[in-house]
Amino acid sequence: MNFCSHCGSSQLIMTVPAGDNRPRQVCMNCHTIHYSNPKMVVGCLPVFEDRILLCKRAIEPRSGYWNLPAGYLENGETVQDGAKRETLEEAGVEVEIVRMHCVYNIPRINQVYLFFLAHMSSPHWEAGEETLDIGLYKPEDIPFADMAFPSSTFAIKQYLAHQNQNFEGVHMGGWEG
């Protein structure tokens, strides 16, 4: 950050504000503390019968690789609404959220992923602008070697490992890489 978003001053310093325990950018002109917090990524693990919907990314990073439909949470959205919106935007699929499925932390890049288990009412989809292709995959056909991100791989593997056990909890995972 080069300028204070509150007053426009360029007099920013990195310091630990009183009562805090981490360095923050502080404006020396208006004394506004600028917090930098993780990005929330929300998405769905859409299921139709015994198959999982995957989207092939049309954008970087990892264009051409498969992923669960997901993206950044927007201001003013609940995490559930954001996950449903991303699924609709990327796959043209309206889903019914069943429950929270997993949380996946990537502290190195300041991201937290929240995936919801969701049911598709029909096997019909329409690729959005960020999607090259879409497929419904049986567990044995999931292209794990061509997955875009470890967060999606984790979500799918946890689902497959517990799908017949009536698991109601939330899977926790992460990557330090």
Side-chain angles (χ1 to χ4, degrees), residues 90-158:
E90 294 182 10
V93 173
E94 291 194 27
V95 293
E96 177 187 334
I97 290 183
V98 176
R99 64 173 175 81
M100 169 63 81
H101 174 61
C102 73
V103 176
Y104 193 85
N105 297 288
I106 311 178
R108 182 182 60 81
I109 58 172
N110 304 315
Q111 291 182 350
V112 177
Y113 286 72
L114 304 173
F115 283 107
F116 292 88
L117 179 61
H119 284 161
M120 298 169 54
S121 59
S122 75
H124 302 289
W125 58 75
E126 183 177 327
E129 289 183 24
E130 298 179 2
T131 305
L132 292 172
D133 195 10
I134 298 174
L136 272 176
Y137 288 92
K138 290 187 176 197
E140 62 272 16
D141 297 327
I142 294 172
F144 285 112
D146 294 323
M147 293 299 292
F149 303 113
S151 54
S152 287
T153 300
F154 175 80
I156 294 167
K157 286 187 175 184
Q158 292 303 312

Side-chain angles (χ1 to χ4, degrees), residues 1 20-21 41-42 46 64 72 79 85 106 108 111 119 125 171 177:
M1 173 180 278
D20 204 336
N21 61 2
V41 180
V42 294
Y72 291 120
V79 291
R85 174 188 49 79
I106 311 178
R108 182 182 60 81
Q111 291 182 350
H119 284 161
W125 58 75
H171 303 283

Side-chain angles (χ1 to χ4, degrees), residues 45-57:
L45 191 157
V47 176
F48 182 77
E49 296 174 351
D50 64 340
R51 297 174 288 167
I52 296 171
L53 181 132
L54 296 176
C55 299
K56 186 179 272 190
R57 293 177 57 84

Side-chain angles (χ1 to χ4, degrees), residues 31 59 75 81 84 95 116 122 136 169:
H31 307 288
I59 60 172
N75 290 334
D81 288 343
K84 290 167 71 172
V95 293
F116 292 88
S122 75
L136 272 176

Side-chain angles (χ1 to χ4, degrees), residues 27 36 40 50 60 98 100 147 159 170 173:
C27 178
S36 178
M40 302 295 295
D50 64 340
E60 293 296 342
V98 176
M100 169 63 81
M147 293 299 292
Y159 171 75
V170 175

